[in-house]
Amino acid sequence: MGGPELATPETVRARTRWGDFRQAFLGNKLAVFGTVVMALFVLMALFAPLLAPYDPIAGQNLTEKFAGPSAAHPLGQDELGRDILSRIIYGARISLTAGLAAVAFATVVGTLVGVTAGYAGRWIDSVLMRIMDVLLAFPSILLAIVIVTVLGQGLTNALLAVGIVNVPQIARVVRSSVISVRERDYVEAERALGASNTRIVASAILPNSTAPLIVQATLTLATAILDVAALSFLGLGARAPTPEWGAMLTDAFRSGFGVFVEGQHAIVFPGIAIALSVLSVNFIGDGLRDALDPRRRR
C-alpha cells in the first residue's frame, strides 16, 4: 500500500536568511505601504524636471495669490502664485537629500563612537558615553537650534546640526551590539590567530552589528526629515525661494492672516508631504526591525 511520500531534500525549499527576511518584511503590510510611498517620493525627486508642470521658483503670478486647486494647478497656488505641486515635487529633492545627509553623518560618527566605546571599554567607554549622555540630556530640536545659531543659518548647517543631535542614538545602539558580540567564540578565534583589533572589528564585530544599526538609521531618517523641516520652518534652514517643505510652510505663514482664510491648501499639502514621508520611513523601520530580529517574527 502506498503511504504518504516523504519529502526529499530536492523537494524541500532551502530556507535562507534573505528568504526569511523577505517573507517577514513583505508580510508587514505597513512596511510595504511605507516602501511604496517612499519609492514614489524618491522617483519624484529623481525626475522632478520631468514631473513638475511649472518652474518652482520663477513661476510667480501675484494676481492668482492663494488660488485654490484647479485643473491647471491640482494643488493650488501659494502666496506668490507659484504652483504648489511643482514646489512639492522639487521639495522632495531637498527634504529627502537633507535627511539622508544628516543620517549619513550621524551613522558614520555614531558608529565610530559606538565601536570604540564598546570594543575598548574601560575609561574610554565611560568618557565617550558620558559625552553622549550630555547630548541626550537636551531636547533634540532645541540642541539643533543652538548648533545652527552657533554655526550660522542655512540648510547645510541645519542638516549638520540634525546629524550631530542624532549621533548619540546611533552610538548607543552600536555600542550595545558590539558589547554583545565582542566575547563570542568567532571573535576569540580571531584574537587567537593574532588578528589586529582593526581586523577583528572590521571582519567579525561590525558585520554582526549591522542589523540593529540599519534599523536605527532608518528610524533616525524619519526624525531627521522632520527636524530639518522644523528648522526650515523656524527660518534656520532652507531660505526662500528654495522649495523645501518646511520652508514652504513658513513662507505661507509669513504672508499674513490670509493664509487661514483663502490659502489653507498652501500649508495643508506641504504638511501632508512631510507627514507621509515621516510615516513611511517609520513603517519601513518597524518592518526592518521585525524582519531582522528572529524573536519578533511570527
Side-chain angles (χ1 to χ4, degrees):
M1 296 178 62
E5 295 184 2
L6 296 177
T8 62
E10 290 77 11
T11 61
V12 177
R13 182 178 61 88
R15 294 186 61 185
T16 63
R17 182 175 299 180
W18 165 247
D20 290 343
F21 167 81
R22 183 176 57 187
Q23 182 179 6
F25 186 81
L26 295 179
N28 189 323
K29 294 182 179 179
L30 289 178
V32 174
F33 170 78
T35 302
V36 171
V37 173
M38 185 50 58
L40 292 177
F41 277 122
V42 171
L43 290 175
M44 282 171 50
L46 292 175
F47 301 103
L50 299 176
L51 297 175
Y54 301 93
D55 189 303
I57 297 176
Q60 300 183 12
N61 187 354
L62 294 177
T63 61
E64 297 182 1
K65 173 183 177 180
F66 287 138
S70 63
H73 303 277
L75 302 186
Q77 294 165 263
D78 65 6
E79 71 284 351
L80 296 179
R82 295 170 298 194
D83 182 62
I84 293 177
L85 176 60
S86 299
R87 289 180 62 78
I88 288 178
I89 292 175
Y90 272 91
R93 281 186 164 185
I94 300 173
S95 296
L96 297 183
T97 301
L100 287 171
V103 171
F105 176 86
T107 301
V108 172
V109 177
T111 300
L112 291 175
V113 173
V115 168
T116 303
Y119 187 75
R122 307 180 74 174
W123 66 270
I124 297 178
D125 182 19
S126 298
V127 170
L128 291 177
M129 287 301 101
R130 294 302 76 75
I131 295 174
M132 297 299 102
D133 290 341
V134 170
L135 293 177
L136 285 173
F138 297 93
S140 60
I141 189 63
L142 179 60
L143 182 58
I145 291 173
V146 173
I147 295 173
V148 173
T149 303
V150 173
L151 297 178
Q153 300 178 6
L155 184 60
T156 301
N157 290 337
L159 65 88
L160 181 60
V162 172
I164 292 174
V165 300
N166 284 294
V167 166
Q169 291 88 340
I170 299 291
R172 291 174 71 89
V173 168
V174 174
R175 172 182 175 270
S176 298
S177 299
V178 171
I179 290 176
S180 67
V181 302
R182 68 182 180 186
E183 303 300 333
R184 298 285 178 88
D185 292 340
Y186 51 82
V187 177
E188 293 295 336
E190 291 274 357
R191 292 196 185 99
L193 293 174
S196 64
N197 290 330
T198 302
R199 179 178 177 80
I200 292 174
V201 169
S203 63
I205 292 182
L206 272 181
N208 292 283
S209 304
T210 54
L213 175 60
I214 291 173
V215 174
Q216 184 60 42
T218 304
L219 295 174
T220 301
L221 176 59
T223 304
I225 293 173
L226 191 60
D227 287 347
V228 170
L231 290 176
S232 295
F233 177 76
L234 296 173
L236 301 176
R239 296 294 194 89
T242 304
E244 195 272 338
W245 294 338
M248 290 173 64
L249 291 175
T250 193
D251 290 343
F253 280 114
R254 283 176 179 174
S255 64
F257 187 75
V259 67
F260 298 102
V261 178
E262 57 183 356
Q264 299 94 334
H265 55 277
I267 56 179
V268 169
F269 292 120
I272 290 176
I274 295 172
L276 278 177
S277 62
V278 172
L279 280 175
S280 62
V281 174
N282 277 326
F283 290 155
I284 294 172
D286 290 341
L288 289 174
R289 180 193 61 196
D290 295 344
L292 292 172
D293 187 354
R295 295 170 298 180
R296 292 180 176 269
R297 296 176 188 165
R298 294 182 179 180

